[in-house]
Amino acid sequence: MYATGHKRNKRDLARLWGGRFERELEVPGFEFAGTQLSSFSEANLLGASTTMDWVMGLNLWTQDFENMTDTRQTRYGPLYSGTLANPVFDDI
């Protein structure tokens, strides 16, 4: 597992998490084993005015899984991206 980030003025601007996992399952009549690589990345921008605070950003999730058993050679690798915007208004 790894994690890293970049900061400016004590606030996160970008974050990256990820890890490599070995998966294995064996039950009578079925065997499953593989390697999974996962990551999450986010870049954001924070702001403030006299009436509200806000955050906007982009994020990216990745997965890569390769099945290593002899009976079933499969590969799974979706990629997801997203945007975020969150205003928080001050009570007046």
Side-chain angles (χ1 to χ4, degrees), residues 48-70:
S49 69
T50 56
T51 59
M52 74 174 186
D53 297 334
W54 53 268
V55 60
M56 292 187 296
L58 304 169
N59 49 42
L60 178 69
W61 291 274
T62 64
Q63 293 282 334
D64 184 33
F65 181 81
E66 185 173 357
N67 189 340
M68 306 302 279
T69 58
D70 292 336

Side-chain angles (χ1 to χ4, degrees), residues 3-91:
T4 187
H6 300 283
K7 294 188 177 202
R8 180 177 164 191
N9 299 330
K10 298 182 182 178
R11 295 183 174 173
D12 288 340
L13 291 176
R15 288 180 265 176
L16 174 65
W17 290 282
R20 183 174 187 267
F21 309 97
E22 298 293 329
R23 306 286 187 203
E24 189 172 325
L25 173 66
E26 191 172 329
V27 295
F30 181 76
E31 182 182 340
F32 176 83
T35 303
Q36 178 181 355
L37 180 63
S38 302
S39 74
F40 174 80
S41 303
E42 179 180 294
N44 60 53
L45 181 61
L46 303 171
S49 69
T50 56
T51 59
M52 74 174 186
D53 297 334
W54 53 268
V55 60
M56 292 187 296
L58 304 169
N59 49 42
L60 178 69
W61 291 274
T62 64
Q63 293 282 334
D64 184 33
F65 181 81
E66 185 173 357
N67 189 340
M68 306 302 279
T69 58
D70 292 336
T71 59
R72 211 180 226 194
Q73 292 291 326
T74 58
R75 189 157 193 139
Y76 173 75
L79 176 73
Y80 303 102
S81 62
T83 59
L84 59 106
N86 186 18
V88 178
F89 294 94
D90 295 334
D91 291 333

